[in-house]
Amino acid sequence: MKIYNTLTGKKEDFIPLEEGKVKIYVCGPTVYNLIHIGNARPMVIFDTVRRYFAYKGYDVTYVSNFTDIDDKIIKKANEDGSDAGEVATHFIEECNKDMDGLGIGKDMIHPLATQVIPEMIEMIQTLIDKGYAYESNGTVYYRVRKFKCYGKLSGKNIDDLEAGHRDIKVAGEDDKEDNLDFVLWKPKKEGEPAWPSPWSDGRPGWHIECSVMAKKYLGDSIDIHAGGEDLIFPHHENEIAQSEAANGVPFAKYWMHNGFLRIVNKEGEFEKMSKSLGNFLTVRDVSEKYPLEVLRFFMLGAHYRNPINFSDELMESAKNGLERIKTCLTRLEELGTKTGAEGMSEGEQEKIKEAEVFTKRFEDAMDDDFNTADAVASVFDFVKYINTNTDENSSVEYAKTLHDRLCELMGVLGLSTDTGSDELLDEEVDNLIQERNEARKNKDFVRADEIRDLLIEKGIILEDTRDGVRWKRK
Ligand code: AMP
Ligand code: ZN
């Protein structure tokens, strides 16, 4: 299995720190808003990485944090007249709903920054004791020049960085020994949430959170650290400086970074989707139009290190592709439940053997730095093979074996294999809603309620709007 490692700039064989185990840390979102589909990309990608490791038999521990204390959260709380804790709790709940829709597994740890304040204070104290950090008027800074390997992840040269920083002065950070130094702990300002510490009542800087959460839940050295490529510098560079100086051992062996999700701008060019550019679509926006597994499938259609351009056409194509696979699964389900030939014929046994090539190609693609684009292509080829090599005379066992294999690959990609065969079609829902409207008009409330209950039972939510009744699937 090969992984492209940002630290070395090469694809390398994956060798776990501990036989049969893999420890992964992925930087999660700052929770002051609904997540946008760019934020969802690392979630989907690294969840798929996690699933593939599990498929290969590894015991995976996966940690992804929520940054629940930050300037932006405090600003949002002030705007809303609430407090930072409430804002964070609310958007964590919303993010969890989006992650459910995206098929992000439950088998992960999601720590909050505010849950590890004592551990952060402890690591900062260690850094001070070792001479890597210093306090000045209640603020604690990291002494960047003291860490000799600074720049090893991003390839940045410390003198170039110094030149770039010369003119930049950040308000309230006048006491730094060096412009390169970054904040580990800052004193509170009026009205801000704060925790007591040996230096001031205040709160941690952003970078220290991840170093501490990785240490607490995974240990001093981890196999994989991941996030979007915008985090390479300064966030991940600073995490390395903190963790390696404090713990005295290499931090992460492999650094993985996903490329940006982009969207077209007014000039017709694609640019990074971001909150600050205001060009974002939330996961929630997309869920109004498509089941979220279509968004997941769209993302898996590109290599994770390449940029991916969001468009309606590509989403439509993802939707159609997913439907093709589901139709194949439905067919196999039907063949697998019909009465008739039970056991496999010799010819079928040969075909099952022949079809192993698709699983092999899937694995080869995933073994090559998680090339989900090629893995998805092998799933499509498998579907084509199934469609041309099954018919009503196929045996139950043959259909079931093909079905299970296809389901297994879908599972690695985090896609549901629920074909919704007992689900109502859109058209049937529309007809029922119309019948319900008629019933209400005719004061036949019993029938109207019956229809509403049936729809609820089938997972359809009705909304009364000014333009009539709208519906969506739960
Ligand atoms: P943030 O809340 O901005 O810290 O972002 C959370 C995660 O989303 C980080 O791993 C970012 O690198 C990632 N991210 C943000 N915007 C994009 C984007 N447009 N495409 C891909 N990843 C992104
Ligand atoms: Zn982080």
Side-chain angles (χ1 to χ4, degrees):
M1 197 168 176
K2 287 197 184 303
I3 298 186
Y4 179 86
N5 188 355
T6 309
L7 191 60
T8 56
K10 287 199 217 89
K11 259 190 217 174
E12 294 172 19
D13 281 323
F14 176 74
I15 303 165
L17 293 172
E18 208 181 318
E19 176 97 33
K21 293 195 174 160
V22 51
K23 294 184 269 187
I24 308 178
Y25 185 90
V26 182
C27 294
T30 306
V31 278
Y32 64 101
N33 219 328
L34 289 174
I35 57 163
H36 64 67
I37 58 176
N39 300 138
R41 191 173 190 200
M43 292 174 179
V44 166
I45 295 302
F46 299 115
D47 175 61
T48 309
V49 166
R50 181 188 68 84
R51 286 170 185 272
Y52 189 61
F53 272 115
Y55 168 83
K56 295 278 261 191
Y58 284 91
D59 174 4
V60 190
T61 315
Y62 185 107
V63 178
S64 185
N65 68 301
F66 285 116
T67 295
D68 65 337
I69 184 69
D70 175 90
D71 287 342
K72 292 180 218 128
I73 300 175
I74 295 171
K75 183 163 172 272
K76 172 84 176 141
N78 289 339
E79 283 165 12
D80 294 359
S82 65
D83 72 63
E86 267 170 29
V87 169
T89 306
H90 172 69
F91 286 109
I92 288 169
E93 264 172 37
E94 296 302 319
C95 183
N96 280 327
K97 286 183 207 159
D98 289 340
M99 290 199 295
D100 268 356
L102 288 163
I104 310 295
K106 297 260 181 255
D107 197 8
M108 358 178 124
I109 304 167
H110 291 292
L112 309 183
T114 55
Q115 290 170 337
V116 293
I117 303 274
E119 290 89 340
M120 286 198 255
I121 291 174
E122 198 180 318
M123 189 182 278
I124 295 171
Q125 188 60 55
T126 306
L127 289 169
I128 294 176
D129 295 346
K130 289 187 165 185
Y132 285 96
Y134 56 96
E135 185 255 349
S136 182
N137 292 324
T139 304
V140 183
Y141 297 99
Y142 187 96
R143 191 175 271 131
V144 168
R145 278 185 186 274
K146 166 97 176 153
F147 184 68
K148 294 298 168 228
C149 303
Y150 196 81
K152 70 174 169 181
L153 180 70
S154 56
K156 289 192 192 287
N157 172 303
I158 208 146
D159 293 319
D160 294 346
L161 283 171
E162 183 77 65
H165 270 70
R166 206 155 287 152
D167 304 325
I168 307 169
K169 271 259 174 255
V170 180
E173 294 187 12
D174 304 333
D175 310 320
K176 287 196 215 181
E177 290 175 1
D178 189 321
N179 274 334
L180 291 177
D181 297 349
F182 60 87
V183 170
L184 298 171
W185 185 267
K186 55 180 153 192
K188 70 164 183 180
K189 297 198 200 92
E190 191 53 36
E192 285 185 354
W195 290 262
S197 83
W199 318 290
S200 59
D201 283 357
R203 61 191 161 95
W206 170 38
H207 313 300
I208 195 76
E209 291 175 13
C210 289
S211 282
V212 168
M213 287 190 262
K215 181 182 170 79
K216 174 162 181 176
Y217 295 97
L218 298 169
D220 290 355
S221 286
I222 67 176
D223 293 286
I224 298 175
H225 195 311
E229 67 182 11
D230 52 337
L231 300 186
I232 297 173
F233 187 85
H235 185 53
H236 289 165
E237 196 71 65
N238 291 353
E239 277 190 49
I240 292 176
Q242 297 163 155
S243 294
E244 298 195 352
N247 303 329
V249 290
F251 181 29
K253 195 167 173 195
Y254 304 90
W255 286 84
M256 295 179 71
H257 293 99
N258 65 273
F260 293 137
L261 182 139
R262 307 190 301 192
I263 192 158
V264 78
N265 66 14
K266 281 195 211 85
E267 285 75 42
E269 292 149 357
F270 281 96
E271 59 186 6
K272 179 193 172 193
M273 179 172 287
S274 76
K275 281 177 195 156
S276 54
L277 287 173
N279 61 351
F280 62 89
L281 277 174
T282 62
V283 169
R284 211 51 69 78
D285 292 332
V286 171
S287 76
E288 305 268 303
K289 234 174 134 185
Y290 296 99
L292 285 177
E293 67 172 345
V294 173
L295 182 61
R296 182 175 184 119
F297 195 56
F298 155 77
M299 289 185 187
L300 296 175
H303 192 285
Y304 76 90
R305 281 193 286 124
N306 292 337
I308 184 170
N309 296 333
F310 182 83
S311 69
D312 287 343
E313 295 81 63
L314 287 174
M315 282 296 284
E316 279 302 312
S317 143
K319 180 171 169 247
N320 294 337
L322 202 52
E323 267 167 21
R324 224 181 318 148
I325 302 172
K326 298 268 171 124
T327 307
C328 177
L329 282 171
T330 308
R331 230 173 85 77
L332 291 173
E333 272 166 22
E334 283 164 11
L335 293 174
T337 48
K338 73 174 174 28
T339 47
E342 283 286 331
M344 267 194 260
S345 69
E346 244 171 60
E348 286 178 337
Q349 282 173 21
E350 260 166 44
K351 290 214 159 102
I352 288 292
K353 194 118 205 64
E354 195 175 274
E356 276 170 11
V357 70
F358 301 107
T359 302
K360 169 86 174 57
R361 272 178 42 201
F362 181 96
E363 290 178 3
D364 287 348
M366 293 298 278
D367 281 342
D368 182 14
D369 192 27
F370 306 96
N371 190 337
T372 55
D374 284 0
V376 166
S378 75
V379 171
F380 279 133
D381 288 344
F382 188 22
V383 165
K384 213 189 290 169
Y385 181 88
I386 294 170
N387 290 343
T388 47
N389 288 284
T390 49
D391 58 31
E392 18 345 320
N393 299 319
S394 299
S395 72
V396 168
E397 194 187 350
Y398 178 61
K400 279 191 172 158
T401 308
L402 290 171
H403 179 266
D404 291 351
R405 276 218 200 138
L406 186 52
C407 286
E408 189 167 38
L409 302 187
M410 292 288 275
V412 174
L413 298 175
L415 298 163
S416 86
T417 48
D418 179 7
T419 50
S421 26
D422 70 337
E423 231 181 54
L424 292 173
L425 299 174
D426 290 7
E427 200 188 328
E428 286 170 336
V429 177
D430 288 335
N431 289 342
L432 281 166
I433 290 176
Q434 216 175 336
E435 195 189 331
R436 177 169 168 259
N437 289 343
E438 287 293 316
R440 282 163 82 184
K441 232 193 281 165
N442 299 332
K443 305 217 170 352
D444 182 357
F445 296 114
V446 175
R447 178 66 188 144
D449 285 351
E450 251 173 40
I451 295 172
R452 193 203 49 206
D453 291 347
L454 173 74
L455 290 169
I456 290 172
E457 202 182 294
K458 299 280 182 192
I460 308 290
I461 301 165
L462 300 183
E463 264 172 9
D464 286 307
T465 72
R466 243 187 288 156
D467 307 322
V469 180
R470 290 227 310 248
W471 64 270
K472 60 181 181 196
R473 292 188 197 278
K474 223 183 327 191

